[in-house]
Amino acid sequence: MNNLLQDKRGIIFGVANKRSIAWATAKSLHDAGARLAFNYQGERLRENVETLAKDFENSLVIQCDVTNAEEVARLFEQVKRDFGRLDFLIHSVAFAPKEALEGGYAQTSRDAFVTALEISAHSFTELARHAAPLMTDGGSMVTMTYYGAEKVVANYNVMGVAKAALEASTRYLAADLGAHNIRVNAISAGPIQTLAARGVANFSTMLKGVAERAPLKRNVEPREVGDTALFLCSPLSSGITGEIIHVDCGFNIMAF
Ligand code: 1JT
C-alpha cells in the first residue's frame, strides 16, 4: 500500500481473468489508491471481470469491444459521467488468430494481418483519442508490448508486426499529447504464462529458455509489470514519455 495515486482515476482495458497482465496492473494501481474502471469484451467475460472488480471499492465495469466504435464512444461517455475526469489509461489488449502464431510469417493471411493490427495496435490509438479530452489535468497512457516488435522471435510472426505498429503509435501519441501534459509509454514485458500465451505451442519451453539467458536468471512476474505501470502513471515518471521500458529481467540486453 502507498499513496502514489491518491485521488487519481483511470481505466484498464484487457482484464480477462486473474492471470491477465491487466489484472496484476489493476492490483498495483489500486494498492496505490486509484479508483478504477474496467472494460469487458463481451458477455462471455462479464462475470469474470465483475467478480474480480468486486474487491475494488467504487470501481466501474463497462462492456466494450475495442473494435466497436460505438461501444468505445459509449464507454467514455459513461466514464465522463461517473468519474468526471481521467488520469490514466492502461491498454493491455492483443489478439491474433492462433494459426498466425505458428509456421512462417510469410504465410500470414490478409485477414489475420488486419485482425492482429486492428485489435492489438489500432485500438490503442482509438482509445487514446477518446481518453485525451477527459485528461484535463494531464495524464498517463500505458500499453503492453513485447520484444518480438524489435527482433524476430520465432512464431510471434504478425504479432511482432502489430507490436511494432503499437510501439510507433506510442511515440506519435506522445508527440501529439505532450502539450496537454499527457504522457504515453509502453512496457515491453518478458513472456508471462497468461491464458492467451497458453494457446502458444511450446510456450513453457520458451519460458524456461528465457529464464536461463536473462541476467536475473528467472522470468518476470506479473506484479513487476503492474508496478512499472504504477511508476509510469505516477508523478515519479513525470519526465518520461514516448518510451518503451523493458520489464524482462534483462533478457533484451543479451546477444547470446
Ligand atoms: C498474444 C498472444 C500476444 C501471446 C502473446 C502476445 N504477446 C506476447 N505473447 C506471448 C508470446 C507469444 C509467442 C511467442 C512469445 C511470447 C496469444 C494470443 C494473441 C495475442 O513466440 C515465441 C507466440
Side-chain angles (χ1 to χ4, degrees):
M1 186 74 188
N2 61 74
N3 293 322
L4 282 168
L5 296 182
Q6 205 61 59
D7 301 320
K8 301 290 185 192
R9 43 206 96 171
I11 181 151
I12 303 188
F13 289 89
V15 174
N17 55 61
K18 65 180 189 330
R19 284 175 174 246
S20 299
I21 294 172
W23 179 243
T25 303
K27 286 193 284 184
S28 292
L29 300 174
H30 174 262
D31 288 354
R35 189 175 168 199
L36 300 176
F38 299 91
N39 86 312
Y40 60 90
Q41 190 222 347
E43 219 34 59
R44 199 171 51 87
L45 291 171
R46 179 213 275 267
E47 202 181 316
N48 269 3
V49 180
E50 281 182 345
T51 305
L52 289 170
K54 257 198 203 103
D55 295 347
F56 294 178
E57 56 287 349
N58 295 321
S59 61
L60 288 177
V61 177
I62 309 169
Q63 138 94 41
C64 179
D65 175 335
V66 296
T67 65
N68 184 323
E70 258 176 45
E71 289 184 13
V72 170
R74 219 177 301 135
L75 171 137
F76 281 99
E77 279 167 24
Q78 190 181 336
V79 167
K80 187 177 180 180
R81 232 183 300 121
D82 288 26
F83 279 8
R85 180 192 86 226
L86 263 187
D87 301 299
F88 59 83
L89 178 150
I90 308 293
H91 174 269
S92 185
V93 177
F95 178 78
K98 188 172 161 45
E99 64 274 13
L101 297 179
E102 49 199 36
Y105 172 70
Q107 305 309 316
T108 307
S109 69
R110 182 196 182 97
D111 252 24
F113 189 99
V114 169
T115 299
L117 272 283
E118 182 183 26
I119 298 178
S120 315
H122 173 261
S123 63
F124 187 45
T125 302
E126 177 79 2
L127 298 176
R129 196 159 51 76
H130 283 84
L134 301 187
M135 294 185 166
T136 48
D137 284 350
S140 174
M141 303 183 185
V142 178
T143 187
M144 300 298 163
T145 184
Y146 175 63
Y147 191 55
E150 302 170 54
K151 292 282 154 72
V152 172
V153 172
N155 298 318
Y156 199 60
N157 296 349
V158 72
M159 270 311 304
V161 175
K163 293 298 192 186
L166 181 68
E167 292 185 7
S169 299
T170 299
R171 291 184 284 271
Y172 279 91
L173 289 168
D176 277 357
L177 302 176
H180 302 282
N181 196 30
I182 298 169
R183 299 181 293 106
V184 187
N185 294 289
I187 294 172
S188 188
I192 294 175
Q193 190 71 266
T194 63
L195 191 67
R198 214 184 282 169
V200 173
N202 303 318
F203 192 76
S204 302
T205 315
M206 193 199 59
L207 274 180
K208 217 168 147 240
V210 165
E212 278 166 17
R213 280 177 50 188
L216 296 182
K217 301 294 164 217
R218 61 177 178 83
N219 291 118
V220 73
E221 285 168 24
R223 181 77 195 202
E224 296 174 309
V225 176
D227 285 349
T228 304
L230 166 58
F231 164 71
L232 287 173
C233 290
S234 84
L236 292 176
S237 62
S238 58
I240 301 178
T241 195
E243 193 67 88
I244 316 292
I245 300 190
H246 293 90
V247 182
D248 64 351
C249 297
F251 180 83
N252 78 96
I253 70 167
M254 304 302 292
F256 299 104

